[in-house]
Amino acid sequence: VVCLFVCMAAKLLLLLLLIQYASAQKGHPAVPPYPITYQMNKSTIIMPCNETGLTDPLSTKGWSIVDFDWSNAKAVWAKAKPMNCEEMLVEQVKITTAVSPGTTVWVYRNAIKALPWYTTVRVKLTDPDYSAWFMHFNDTIKKNHSVSHVPVCDNNYNPPRCSDLYHDQSQTPGYPHGDGVCDPPGCDVGSVPVGEYLFDPRAANVSVHGQTLIEWYIEEYLFSPTGAGNPNISGFYFDDDWSSNGPSEMDRNAKEDMGLSPDDLTNLTNAFNWVMATAYDTILKRGKFTWNQFWNYGSCCIDCPDPMVTKENCASDIRSLCNASSYAQKYAMLYAFSPGCQGSTSNLTDVEQDIANFLLTRGPHAWMGHGWSGCSKQYEWPDMLDWDYGEPTELCKETAPNSGVFTRDWTKASIEMDCNSWTGTIKMK
């Protein structure tokens, strides 16, 4: 009985975490500005991270798209004075593309949080002239810090470093402990306390020193030499959003501490959606792409995708994907190895079924691999990813009404999936 209770509690906790994630990342399906390729090893993707230092570029060699998280090398950049996460990501991109020329490399950007360990953000965050671009604590907290649910000041310094700009410590390096550990006397992000700050998207068109927030967001935050202005950086993964629940993945009392009303949240959400629509449009026009512009059928969140075809719903899944109007044929499809979100990246169990289903259902733009699985993971590379299947000559089809058996002809292979027995078969020609 105790075991049953503990297992149920663990499953409930996982569900709650996934719900939180689901509110944090959403897909905005689009067609990438990349040449069409059906080459299997050019249709692969991972989101790696190594907290203790830079990721060994040999460990990601071969993967077509590699997207690095902000936590990469956190044990190093958290101790820097000041923190230099942004520059460390650029260094990671440099060594990755040097070892694997032609690899498409993306880096992390938070869509709503003004993270001061990014130098580009810190420069504006620490300049009082730009305070209108950021969210603030409510007036009561500004007058009396003790009523805040989160620390307003960093007391590791003397005098303490304080800021009226709203910030929490939900996923923040700290000293003597935190999500990443800084060297004494404390975390260095300039004149403000370390924390997760927030852009105010309602201020998108507020001009400071001849530049609006949206202009800065596009040209410096996204397209500077430490972003997509760097020829080796081909895009981003955008994290987090605004909704009627407030900012995602922030302290649960954030709305109260900022004094936000339901109308405020509606305006913030609408403004955020406009900012992101502008960003996505610009990114595509400039020949870049983002993880968020993938499509994944039924996944809880775009950074944590699932296989598009499951054993439990095999036939219905394939039927929905094998038609010309399916999103799989129209947009960039993201297909995860089983079991999908947060599953093992080093011990794949259904390789032949997954690859057969991917080849059956993929369209002109499709990638297979793993979403966010945490740091310091090993990524298994099945031999079948290196096989040359040619190009599809047709959409997949069911051999007979409700047979549960699906086939698709490729120029160099014949693909079959028998959903009745969960058997994938690939016959090379």
Side-chain angles (χ1 to χ4, degrees):
V1 174
V2 173
C3 179
L4 177 62
F5 176 79
V6 171
C7 291
M8 289 178 65
K11 288 181 179 179
L12 178 60
L13 177 60
L14 178 60
L15 178 61
L16 291 173
L17 288 171
L18 290 179
I19 289 172
Q20 180 188 33
Y21 255 32
S23 68
Q25 302 97 12
K26 299 174 183 177
H28 303 267
V31 176
Y34 300 154
I36 294 173
T37 179
Y38 289 97
Q39 187 175 333
M40 190 66 221
N41 57 15
K42 295 296 184 182
S43 304
T44 56
I45 187 168
I46 52 173
M47 188 185 282
C49 164
N50 176 27
E51 281 194 2
T52 60
L54 294 175
T55 297
D56 180 355
L58 292 177
S59 70
T60 61
K61 189 174 183 179
W63 294 93
S64 175
I65 297 178
V66 179
D67 180 279
F68 288 103
D69 186 68
W70 70 277
S71 291
N72 197 60
K74 188 191 300 178
V76 178
W77 60 255
K79 298 180 186 299
K81 307 290 185 181
M83 292 189 193
N84 60 347
C85 172
E86 190 173 7
E87 290 80 4
M88 291 290 286
L89 282 173
V90 172
E91 181 62 23
Q92 180 68 72
V93 172
K94 179 180 177 181
I95 65 172
T96 300
T97 54
V99 169
S100 303
T103 298
T104 298
V105 185
W106 299 342
V107 294
Y108 179 97
R109 287 293 186 271
N110 200 290
I112 68 169
K113 297 177 185 179
L115 302 177
W117 39 90
Y118 279 62
T119 303
T120 302
V121 174
R122 183 170 61 245
V123 168
K124 303 303 183 188
L125 195 66
T126 56
D127 187 338
D129 288 354
Y130 291 89
S131 64
W133 286 6
F134 305 96
M135 300 297 296
H136 289 240
F137 283 107
N138 64 44
D139 290 340
T140 301
I141 291 176
K142 289 180 180 179
K143 295 174 183 177
N144 180 7
H145 293 172
S146 67
V147 299
S148 174
H149 292 92
V150 293
V152 177
C153 301
D154 184 347
N155 293 312
N156 285 312
Y157 290 91
N158 186 19
R161 293 181 179 178
C162 305
S163 178
D164 287 341
L165 303 178
Y166 178 81
H167 54 281
D168 74 6
Q169 289 75 35
S170 293
Q171 298 180 59
T172 301
Y175 179 80
H177 52 77
D179 188 357
V181 179
C182 306
D183 277 344
C187 299
D188 186 353
V189 289
S191 59
V192 297
V194 68
E196 298 178 307
Y197 294 76
L198 286 164
F199 299 113
D200 186 345
R202 298 169 300 184
N205 291 304
V206 172
S207 180
V208 179
H209 300 309
Q211 184 182 45
T212 64
L213 171 57
I214 189 62
E215 290 170 342
W216 171 86
Y217 194 95
I218 297 293
E219 301 302 336
E220 296 185 35
Y221 186 50
L222 301 184
F223 279 92
S224 71
T226 58
N230 184 318
N232 290 323
I233 296 177
S234 301
F236 306 103
Y237 164 66
F238 283 114
D239 203 359
D240 293 309
D241 64 5
W242 281 94
S243 72
S244 59
N245 295 318
S248 63
E249 297 187 277
M250 297 287 286
D251 183 84
R252 64 180 181 178
N253 299 294
K255 293 183 292 184
E256 180 182 348
D257 283 356
M258 288 183 280
L260 299 178
S261 68
D263 284 346
D264 290 329
L265 291 171
T266 297
N267 292 334
L268 282 160
T269 301
N270 290 339
F272 165 75
N273 289 338
W274 180 83
V275 168
M276 292 313 298
T278 303
Y280 288 133
D281 183 60
T282 305
I283 287 167
L284 285 176
K285 286 179 178 177
R286 297 189 186 182
K288 310 287 183 173
F289 203 60
T290 72
W291 192 290
N292 310 66
Q293 289 167 295
F294 282 125
W295 177 71
N296 180 261
Y297 173 76
S299 67
C300 74
C301 33
I302 197 60
D303 72 323
C304 202
D306 290 318
M308 306 283 269
V309 180
T310 63
K311 184 176 182 179
E312 295 74 17
N313 302 298
C314 178
S316 60
D317 286 340
I318 295 179
R319 289 186 193 113
S320 71
L321 296 167
C322 288
N323 64 79
S325 62
S326 166
Y327 272 31
Q329 310 305 322
K330 295 168 61 177
Y331 298 112
M333 182 175 81
L334 179 59
Y335 196 114
F337 280 106
S338 295
C341 185
Q342 297 295 320
S344 174
T345 62
S346 59
N347 184 26
L348 305 181
T349 58
D350 291 331
V351 171
E352 189 156 353
Q353 294 92 330
D354 286 337
I355 292 181
N357 287 328
F358 177 75
L359 295 173
L360 281 172
T361 61
R362 68 158 295 173
H365 300 283
W367 283 265
M368 185 178 197
H370 306 276
W372 174 243
S373 300
C375 291
S376 303
K377 302 294 183 181
Q378 299 296 317
Y379 291 89
E380 179 182 346
W381 181 269
D383 290 341
M384 292 173 66
L385 293 180
D386 286 319
W387 293 6
D388 182 3
Y389 305 100
E391 297 184 1
T393 62
E394 60 181 358
L395 291 175
C396 68
K397 57 183 181 293
E398 198 164 3
T399 56
N402 299 314
S403 69
V405 179
F406 299 85
T407 62
R408 190 183 195 184
D409 188 61
W410 284 59
T411 54
K412 296 183 180 181
S414 297
I415 317 299
E416 180 181 287
M417 183 65 196
D418 185 343
C419 290
N420 305 294
S421 60
W422 189 238
T423 302
T425 304
I426 299 174
K427 294 181 179 179
M428 304 303 294
K429 296 180 179 180

